[in-house]
Amino acid sequence: MAEDTRQDKRASFSAITEHNTNGMARTSAVASGKSGASKKLVIKNFKDRPKLAENYTEDTWLKLRDAVGAIQNSTSIKYNLEELYQAVENLCSYKVSPTLYKQLRQVCEDHVQLTESLDNLSFLKRMNRCWQDHCRQTVRFDGLMLCICCRDTGLELFRTHIVSDSAVQKRTVDGILEQIELERNGETVDRSLLRSLLGMLSDLQVYKDSFEERFLTETNRLYAAEGQRLMQERDVPEYLHHVARRLEEENDRIVSYLDQSTQKPLISCVEKQLLGEHMTAILQKGLSTLLDENRVTELALLYQLFSKVKGGLLTLLQFWRDYIKSFGGEIVCTPEKDKDMVQELLDFKDKMDNVAQSCFTRNEGFINAMKEAFETFINKRPNKPAELIAKYVDSKLRAGNKEATEEELERILDKIMIIFRFIHGKDVFEAFYKKDLAKRLLVGKSASVDAEKSMLSKLKHECGAAFTSKLEGMFKDMELSKDIMIQFKQYMQNQSEPSNIELTVNILTMGYWPSYTPMEVHLPPEMVKLQEVFKLFYLGKHSGRKLQWQPTLGHAVLKAEFKEGKKELQVSLFQTLVLLMFNEGEEFSVEEIRAATGIEEGELRRTLQSLACGKARVLNKNPRGKDVEDGDRFNFNNDFKHKLFRIKINQIQMKETVEEQVSTTERVFQDRQYQIDAAVVRIMKMRKTLSHNLLVSELYNQLKFPVKPGDLKKRIESLIDRDYMERDKETPNQYHYVA
């Protein structure tokens, strides 16, 4: 019944009852009224619920059972699907669904049976086909019986009657594992089949319990055995590539058919068995070889793989540090390698830097470990590396070094400074560097003033102004000497008797320069006179100073006449004194030359050897030979020929003797004693009273060179003897400062 609440009119309705084929009645209401009128329609329920037709439930179930059978057997359904759906809906609305569910479940239980005896692959294919049919049928059941949860029922039935059967489940999982093992061994398998079956286990919620646990156990067993075997059979680079390939394959399996939840435990298992169990063995067997041969690709792979394993990078870092200490220690502590030590150290540092940057991703821990290792091994042999680094710098800064351009030389100096930083005894470097720098400056052998000053700037930045103050003083002396010589030339021009010898003098401050042993030689009267003139000139400007001539550092340019013509000879002062004798005579013996010049015997023999036995032989020696012996006689070689007008005759340099090296080192040690004494007095003056252990600890903090506790004790005893400090009368281990 309907009413129009807004208008006083009534609408007429007629009820039309249609009978459907399923026996239910459908009622339609047709309303008639004026078009365009706004009405409120109220529909009321039947007072009495319609009843199902007799035998309706039984007839409907027979039709449904036939339809289910047709779906299960993949045949056509002879009933209208809409009619079947409506029938199920009617039964559900009349509370018949529990009975219908039980009947449907029984039909499905009768269907889902798997009893065939097949080989593993055929069994898997049969199982997959059953699963695919079951899924397809369940979808159709869902479409037919939305009121009943067919999908969940289908999954439960398949799980109960198929997968939960121990024999079926075992065979299914065995077959899957067999296929995976075949694939791991390089055979081709049907990945879509594996993906479908593993998806089935996942849908049935038995993937983890029935498959994953066994799969991980088998994987663990397989890779444990494989790791043990391949570590024996293969070298490390090959093994590393194999591990990387295995990890890639397992990741591919996860993408292709394994469940994502398996990824973490699976990859962890592979990494543990192929890497974690063999980290030490891999590094012991192959790290040295990889580093020796500079196998950057394999080293990068090694770092990448070890970064995946717990404790892997820490283990790699320890072996890396030990390798650097061992390899570098061999370079430093092998005297036979002294000649090439510095170059080998530079090459080794470049190599390790490249490995740290390109292979170890600039890992700060590895870079710090490398620095620590370099500092450790380079100080295993005290003083020698510092000495050799100073000599190496000298070889690069000396004139005639055409190995590098200015830019390349600057890069070399930067690399040397990196090695220099690792040295503890930097004062040893300073002593030898100063000695070589003096030679370069005084003999004019410095390749570049800019390069010299650049090196000085680097040393100052690294060690402070105090370290380079004497070196800077040497450069200052050379510049002041140039100014003094300009003034001296002007002074000479004003003299009544100008000299035909052009004199150049370098004024050296004794405290800045290395100490040289004075050597008295017999100079020609012209030179002696010129020396006196300069002495008068200089002391007239700088009263209170004392000049001490160093003939060992002098050199000269002589004009000589040969049959071929005039030449200029660039020679040392000792060579000059020998050659000038042949203005007075034609032939002289070794003894006569020694008496006339006053040159020390060893120095004289080297001088004569350079003039008569070298490339430019301006003197003839009789008898001929490479060495100068007592009784040899020398005469002027008037037939001397050379393509150049100015010829430099190098003095045969006496190789630095062990005594000279020891002397330089002893001077360093002497300076160290003074520094220790000064540090002790400075500390005691400030602290007044201090125990022995605290004093030693403070000294280690202040001193910039390595020192043994025994040496410190000796210096403390020396200061006590000299009354700078005293022991406590009651506590001998306590010191008091004596003002």
Side-chain angles (χ1 to χ4, degrees), residues 72 105-114 130 134 137 154 157-158 160-162:
Q72 289 172 339
R105 182 184 179 93
Q106 186 61 48
V107 171
C108 291
E109 284 181 0
D110 295 340
H111 177 73
V112 287
Q113 303 296 325
L114 196 63
C130 288
H134 177 75
Q137 293 159 8
L157 289 173
F158 205 90
T160 302
H161 292 277
I162 303 284

Side-chain angles (χ1 to χ4, degrees), residues 562 617-620 635-641:
F562 302 94
R617 300 184 179 184
V618 294
L619 297 180
N620 291 323
N635 59 66
F636 185 69
N637 181 14
N638 201 32
D639 298 324
F640 174 77
K641 294 181 179 179

Side-chain angles (χ1 to χ4, degrees), residues 362-549:
R362 295 184 176 87
N363 186 305
E364 190 173 342
F366 281 80
I367 293 173
N368 290 336
M370 176 176 63
K371 291 177 180 177
E372 177 197 328
F374 264 84
E375 186 172 353
T376 300
F377 78 71
I378 210 167
N379 291 292
K380 273 186 177 180
R381 188 180 175 194
N383 306 324
K384 197 64 181 179
E387 173 191 338
L388 294 176
I389 290 173
K391 292 183 182 303
Y392 184 85
V393 174
D394 176 58
S395 70
K396 295 301 178 185
L397 294 177
R398 198 184 302 147
N401 173 34
K402 299 177 181 178
E403 298 175 16
T405 62
E406 287 187 9
E407 293 78 10
E408 290 169 341
L409 180 58
E410 189 69 18
R411 282 196 294 272
I412 291 171
L413 295 179
D414 286 335
K415 290 179 180 179
I416 290 171
M417 289 305 300
I418 293 173
I419 301 295
F420 172 75
R421 288 190 187 106
F422 299 129
I423 295 173
H424 289 163
K426 292 182 171 60
D427 50 350
V428 176
F429 171 88
E430 182 197 12
F432 284 95
Y433 182 81
K434 183 166 74 170
K435 184 158 67 76
D436 294 330
L437 174 62
K439 287 182 183 177
R440 293 197 300 273
L441 293 178
L442 296 175
V443 187
K445 285 189 174 181
S446 184
S448 163
V449 175
D450 291 339
E452 293 282 5
K453 291 190 175 180
S454 172
M455 184 64 189
L456 201 61
S457 174
K458 296 179 195 299
L459 290 171
K460 187 174 184 178
H461 180 266
E462 185 65 31
C463 304
F467 184 85
T468 57
S469 60
K470 292 182 180 180
L471 303 176
E472 290 173 332
M474 293 165 69
F475 281 96
K476 192 177 293 183
D477 281 350
M478 297 302 293
E479 291 171 1
L480 289 174
S481 296
K482 289 179 183 177
D483 295 338
I484 290 171
M485 292 318 299
I486 293 172
Q487 297 172 19
F488 179 66
K489 285 180 182 178
Q490 294 173 348
Y491 175 81
M492 289 298 293
Q493 288 174 358
N494 298 327
Q495 295 296 308
S496 56
E497 298 180 7
S499 173
N500 58 351
I501 301 175
E502 186 177 339
L503 176 68
T504 302
V505 181
N506 290 316
I507 311 297
L508 313 180
T509 305
M510 190 172 289
Y512 294 158
W513 296 77
S515 57
Y516 299 101
T517 305
M519 184 183 295
E520 293 293 332
V521 293
H522 304 153
L523 297 175
E526 297 90 340
M527 288 188 182
V528 174
K529 182 180 178 182
L530 203 53
Q531 275 187 349
E532 291 300 322
V533 171
F534 179 81
K535 185 176 180 180
L536 187 65
F537 159 77
Y538 183 78
L539 295 179
K541 288 182 170 291
H542 305 279
S543 60
R545 295 188 181 180
K546 181 182 178 182
L547 290 178
Q548 183 181 43
W549 298 92

Side-chain angles (χ1 to χ4, degrees), residues 303-319:
Y303 179 86
Q304 177 190 344
L305 293 175
F306 271 53
S307 65
K308 299 174 184 292
V309 185
K310 184 179 180 181
L313 289 185
L314 184 60
T315 306
L316 176 58
L317 184 143
Q318 290 169 348
F319 274 83

